[in-house]
Amino acid sequence: MIEFANVSKVFNGGTKAVNDVSFKVKEGEIFVLIGPSGCGKTTTLKMINRLIDSSEGTIRVHNENIQDMNIKKLRWNIGYVLQQIALFPHMTIKENIAVVPELIKWPQEKIDKRVDELLEMVGLDPGTYRDRKPDELSGGQQQRIGVVRALAGDPDIILMDEPFSALDPISREQLQEDIKKLQEEIKKTVVFVTHDIEEALKLGHHICLMKDGKVVQIGAPAELLENPADEFVKEFLGDRKDPWAEKVSSLLPDEAPAEHTHTPASKVSSEATVREALEQLKHSSENSLAVYEGETYKGDVGYKEITLYLERNQSTLKGGSSL
Ligand SMILES: Nc1ncnc2c1ncn2[C@@H]1O[C@H](COP(=O)(O)OP(=O)(O)OP(=O)(O)O)[C@@H](O)[C@H]1O
Ligand SMILES: [Mg+2]
């Protein structure tokens, strides 16, 4: 879908902002670019719609080298949410959203319908907000407009550069949910820049961690958590653990266990992970497993304990199996 092959960018003055970067973004996924300030995220993103041209390497979109494509067509097919909100202040919300549909000359009726549909999608009543100016909206509402504006022309690809960074935690959480739902519904390919690891783990199907213009590691959230490539990745992820990889013994209730009466088939080692225990449960006719440390019975762990545990750890990490 989007493919970088050995791409570099050297700015005038010699800064190598992006250094030999290669990755593939699959159709219909959220691909997160993350890394410390100045590591080259925005530069990488802007090379996709040629707001910045690469110095070396090849970028392909739909298997076509973007250098060979008509630049206007390329951009119309790519929605872009900027790092700073940039609504046109003198234009109404409707006009702001309709910029690309107007450019690609959709009939007025189709544009009107699309604007209302998009406003509803992010929970803003079209009748109330359509004809307002941006400064008559809260920061969070403006940011929502910035997001849906990128969707207006129905592009295949959406680039988002830290779209929620200026928001308070609650609006941010809300918009993350919106984007996740939206992407699941409309299956757009999204390249999402952030330097917030929680956001990356929550939204990304794949995460590309960058440092000093280079890719350090690419993988699904669970892969990064389970197999960080080096100390930098580990540090960046913090002491966050994959809840699915936790030992099943940590889920045992506090009180001392009663005598075990289960059949031997439903035994599990206290060293097994939550993921392994769940797999075993699925193949068992029982609702719980007897946890053994060596020969010693430690207690039962069943669907109930696992569900409660995962809810506590808000484990929606992709890569984990679901109940
Ligand atoms: N137009 C430019 N001319 C020269 N150097 C630039 C230009 N744009 C960016 N840079 C440099 O390239 C490097 C990468 O910048 P970039 O904006 O891609 O970083 P970023 O990862 O998006 O950072 P942030 O998280 O702060 O937004 C930085 O060292 C920056 O100073
Ligand atoms: Mg940036």
Side-chain angles (χ1 to χ4, degrees):
M1 176 57 165
I2 302 170
E3 187 183 352
F4 273 54
N6 308 102
V7 174
S8 297
K9 175 67 193 180
V10 184
F11 282 110
N12 296 336
T15 309
K16 198 155 195 176
V18 173
N19 191 349
D20 197 23
V21 161
S22 300
F23 58 77
K24 280 183 188 167
V25 182
K26 285 194 205 137
E27 187 151 1
E29 77 165 338
I30 302 185
F31 186 87
V32 173
L33 292 169
I34 190 168
S37 183
C39 73
K41 304 180 295 293
T42 296
T43 307
T44 302
L45 200 70
K46 284 183 171 172
M47 285 194 286
I48 300 174
N49 61 2
R50 293 189 56 194
L51 285 173
I52 294 177
D53 273 319
S54 56
S55 318
E56 275 171 62
T58 312
I59 302 169
R60 291 191 189 84
V61 171
H62 289 304
N63 288 321
E64 201 178 339
N65 187 332
I66 59 170
Q67 292 298 329
D68 302 333
M69 290 166 80
N70 177 306
I71 195 162
K72 280 188 187 162
K73 278 199 186 139
L74 175 76
R75 289 201 187 141
W76 288 343
N77 194 29
I78 300 179
Y80 183 41
V81 185
L82 294 137
Q83 193 161 0
Q84 268 88 32
I85 320 171
L87 299 179
F88 300 111
H90 57 285
M91 284 166 36
T92 64
I93 295 308
K94 178 181 159 180
E95 288 163 344
N96 264 286
I97 296 175
V99 170
V100 171
E102 297 271 3
L103 275 172
I104 55 180
K105 301 200 170 27
W106 281 12
Q108 194 56 49
E109 208 175 301
K110 186 173 171 187
I111 296 179
D112 292 349
K113 198 167 149 256
R114 182 71 176 155
V115 169
D116 287 1
E117 186 181 287
L118 288 166
L119 284 170
E120 271 165 16
M121 216 187 257
V122 287
L124 296 171
D125 174 50
T128 311
Y129 292 100
R130 197 195 287 125
D131 298 315
R132 289 202 189 174
K133 295 278 175 62
D135 66 2
E136 295 168 304
L137 266 62
S138 74
Q141 290 168 338
Q142 290 182 40
Q143 207 122 15
R144 285 179 160 78
I145 302 302
V147 171
V148 296
R149 181 175 58 176
L151 299 170
D154 207 16
D156 292 339
I157 297 169
I158 300 155
L159 311 178
M160 298 189 160
D161 197 348
E162 308 209 25
F164 312 140
S165 54
L167 295 180
D168 63 276
I170 294 171
S171 314
R172 193 182 170 106
E173 176 90 20
Q174 179 62 50
L175 266 183
Q176 288 169 350
E177 288 301 323
D178 287 352
I179 280 296
K180 217 169 133 178
K181 246 193 274 154
L182 216 68
Q183 194 273 343
E184 278 161 14
E185 276 164 26
I186 57 184
K187 288 286 172 221
K188 300 287 183 192
T189 306
V190 179
V191 184
F192 191 103
V193 168
T194 181
H195 52 242
D196 175 356
I197 187 67
E198 294 292 345
E199 189 164 83
L201 292 169
K202 186 167 176 185
L203 294 178
H205 295 102
H206 286 96
I207 297 173
C208 173
L209 177 55
M210 294 177 69
K211 184 190 175 191
D212 301 333
K214 288 189 174 153
V215 171
V216 186
Q217 187 170 9
I218 301 179
E223 287 175 275
L224 264 69
L225 289 165
E226 275 170 35
N227 291 309
D230 61 16
E231 281 305 311
F232 172 73
V233 181
K234 255 190 226 165
E235 213 170 286
F236 206 87
L237 293 169
D239 56 5
R240 196 172 286 92
K241 283 199 209 128
D242 175 5
W244 290 95
E246 191 66 33
K247 292 217 173 20
V248 71
S249 51
S250 66
L251 277 61
L252 286 168
D254 289 335
E255 64 267 34
E259 196 63 25
H260 171 54
T261 54
H262 284 191
T263 56
S266 55
K267 273 188 187 178
V268 68
S269 156
S270 58
E271 291 294 301
T273 64
V274 172
R275 182 180 280 120
E276 288 161 351
L278 184 61
E279 274 310 304
Q280 193 174 328
L281 258 183
K282 282 183 185 164
H283 294 104
S284 147
S285 53
E286 315 266 354
N287 281 324
S288 62
L289 301 170
V291 181
Y292 273 79
E293 193 181 295
E295 295 296 306
T296 318
Y297 170 61
K298 302 299 267 184
D300 290 346
V301 167
Y303 283 113
K304 195 180 97 201
E305 286 76 22
I306 294 179
T307 308
L308 283 173
Y309 163 79
L310 290 173
E311 271 171 12
R312 258 199 328 272
N313 287 280
Q314 297 179 328
S315 172
T316 49
L317 294 185
K318 289 132 213 141
S321 39
S322 56
L323 284 167

